[in-house]
Amino acid sequence: MRCDARLARVRVLREWWSSDIDYAWVANYHRTHAYLKSAPYFITVACFLLAVKTAVDLVTAQRAGLEDGSRWVFGLATVVSIVLGLVWARGQFLSRTWSLRFVIIGDVTIAAVLFVSPPSQIVVISAALLMTVGNYANAFHGVRVFLCHEAWAIGVAGVLFLRLVTTTTVEVSAAVSTLITVLVVLFAASSLNHLFFTALRDDAARAFYDQLTGLRNRRGLLVDVESMLRSARLAPADGAAVVSAICLDLDAFKSVNDRFGHTIGDDVLRNAAARIGRVSVDAVSARIGGEEFLVVVAGDESRGPTVARALLRAIHREDDATPISASIGVASMPLSQARGDTAVMLNSLLDRADAAMYEAKRQGGNRVSVADTGTDGVGGRRQEGLSL
């Protein structure tokens, strides 16, 4: 029993150490959340407040007659803080690379300001400012970034403590008490935040995916479609670019459950989802109903029907233990019109793709029905398919 408990703890530690953060997903989650999308503005305020602190330190250094090097550090830190604040004031999240650079710049800037400040207990306590950078690293980056920051923060606090006890007349007991206070804030608070953010992030990620198939659910679909459209709009302009919704429904799936049971039915769904994922690796795929799936792609007008035909071929295999086919509907709209509320746009596309899919099903299934761009009527669709 004890051995099993130790193995379980080792497994948890290994998973924690090897866990990686999908920065793009975290940023997209913040963008689509009513409250979290305001995070850039809170970071802006924090940067400007740091700029005010360093500006006050600069004035104090000038009045105290500190050496030019200290004043240069205070001045440069003020400028850096203002620039970072202006970057975040755009209300946009940084790329992963620049986010990591932001953590490094924040850690180095705060440490530099503390190192050139005259040794005092207040300066040691001010090392707690590094916790603000730690909270950001916790929210957007993984365990390795967190541990690097934590080691840096504790190291900075230790150096400030040594300066305090070796260059001032402060009693060692008072200095130790100050250091312990800072370490409690840096270590305990940051560690608890790290565990909290990790658990919360994992739970949030699972809430965006279908537990049976591993594909996105409707909520995850919306988040990733917004990200895909954002990236597509940033790509070189193309007047023919469209966004396409491919609605896929497994034919006669109820008979699979009735004949073979729900366990086999679940296996069929998992296999279908895996094949959809392999075909649409650069698209957004989701399970939106019992045996209904949706794939959203961006590209030229031929992209949607091309992916749909590939899905049709991938789903049906004669050598399967329980062969299954699919009815697929495709609907598209110009990328230039895919603006505003993504949920409204996606629902409109889904309605048209769903109607086209039912037309393919009425034609016998195992085929693709393509709705003309901007056409809602059945007469505006064309069928492409394979007969069983």
Side-chain angles (χ1 to χ4, degrees):
M1 185 70 75
R2 291 180 179 177
C3 182
D4 291 342
R6 282 196 296 270
L7 289 175
R9 286 194 291 269
V10 170
R11 185 173 62 254
V12 170
L13 287 174
R14 187 181 295 116
E15 291 175 355
W16 170 73
W17 174 252
S18 61
S19 63
D20 193 18
I21 300 301
D22 185 345
Y23 177 81
W25 182 89
V26 174
N28 288 335
Y29 178 75
H30 279 70
R31 289 188 187 101
T32 57
H33 196 282
Y35 304 120
L36 295 179
K37 66 181 179 182
S38 300
Y41 302 112
F42 286 94
I43 299 173
T44 298
V45 173
C47 290
F48 286 157
L49 286 175
L50 181 60
V52 171
K53 171 189 163 38
T54 53
V56 171
D57 289 341
L58 175 60
V59 173
T60 303
Q62 289 174 334
R63 291 179 177 177
L66 296 182
E67 58 186 22
D68 290 341
S70 297
R71 286 182 284 178
W72 270 103
V73 170
F74 290 134
L76 182 60
T78 302
V79 173
V80 169
S81 299
I82 292 174
V83 171
L84 291 176
L86 292 175
V87 169
W88 283 106
R90 299 177 305 163
Q92 300 177 5
F93 289 90
L94 306 178
S95 67
R96 180 182 177 87
T97 299
W98 275 105
S99 179
L100 287 170
R101 290 173 181 170
F102 174 71
V103 173
I104 295 171
I105 292 171
D107 275 344
V108 171
T109 300
I110 292 173
V113 169
L114 297 178
F115 286 152
V116 300
S117 300
S120 69
Q121 288 178 277
I122 293 297
V123 171
V124 177
I125 293 175
S126 296
L129 288 171
L130 290 166
M131 190 180 68
T132 59
V133 182
N135 285 339
Y136 176 87
N138 275 330
F140 289 93
H141 296 283
V143 58
R144 292 175 178 84
V145 175
F146 164 72
L147 290 178
C148 288
H149 163 81
E150 196 72 358
W152 173 263
I154 292 175
V156 169
V159 171
L160 295 175
F161 166 76
L162 291 176
R163 281 203 322 161
L164 181 64
V165 298
T166 58
T167 62
T168 69
T169 58
V170 174
E171 293 185 4
V172 174
S173 59
V176 170
S177 177
T178 302
L179 176 63
I180 292 176
T181 300
V182 174
L183 292 180
V184 168
V185 174
L186 290 178
F187 178 74
S190 293
S191 298
L192 289 173
N193 280 340
H194 173 71
L195 296 176
F196 172 75
F197 278 122
T198 300
L200 191 63
R201 187 164 42 229
D202 290 346
D203 287 344
R206 284 192 291 270
F208 282 71
Y209 287 86
D210 175 59
Q211 298 302 302
L212 176 64
T213 64
L215 295 180
R216 298 165 184 83
N217 54 24
R218 286 178 178 265
R219 188 179 181 189
L221 174 74
L222 177 60
V223 170
D224 286 348
V225 166
E226 285 188 341
S227 177
M228 183 187 71
L229 294 179
R230 190 180 304 109
S231 299
R233 294 184 190 113
L234 293 176
D238 183 357
V242 301
V243 54
S244 301
I246 304 168
C247 186
L248 183 153
D249 189 87
L250 301 183
D251 296 326
F253 179 74
K254 184 177 182 299
S255 65
V256 174
N257 283 330
D258 292 341
R259 292 175 58 192
F260 304 104
H262 288 281
T263 299
I264 299 300
D266 288 347
D267 289 340
V268 169
L269 289 174
R270 279 190 287 264
N271 289 335
R275 293 169 185 177
I276 291 170
R278 284 194 292 269
V279 170
S280 55
V281 290
D282 58 345
V284 180
S285 52
R287 181 188 180 202
I288 59 174
E291 64 271 20
E292 191 171 359
F293 302 86
L294 183 67
V295 178
V296 181
V297 299
D300 58 31
E301 291 186 359
S302 66
R303 182 75 198 289
T306 299
V307 172
R309 288 191 290 270
L311 288 169
L312 195 71
R313 292 190 295 269
I315 293 296
H316 180 66
R317 295 182 183 176
E318 292 289 352
D319 58 348
D320 282 344
T322 51
I324 198 77
S325 64
S327 297
I328 302 178
V330 183
S332 304
M333 74 164 51
L335 185 61
S336 59
Q337 297 179 13
R339 301 184 181 278
D341 192 322
T342 302
V344 173
M345 180 278 296
L346 194 57
N347 283 334
S348 175
L349 265 182
L350 176 57
D351 286 344
R352 293 173 50 220
D354 197 56
M357 180 271 294
Y358 276 109
E359 179 64 20
K361 198 172 284 289
R362 282 192 292 270
Q363 294 291 327
N366 197 30
R367 65 184 61 242
V368 175
S369 176
V370 182
D372 290 339
T373 302
T375 301
D376 291 328
V378 173
R381 303 187 186 95
R382 60 184 184 278
Q383 285 76 43
E384 309 172 20
L386 302 172
S387 297
L388 289 175

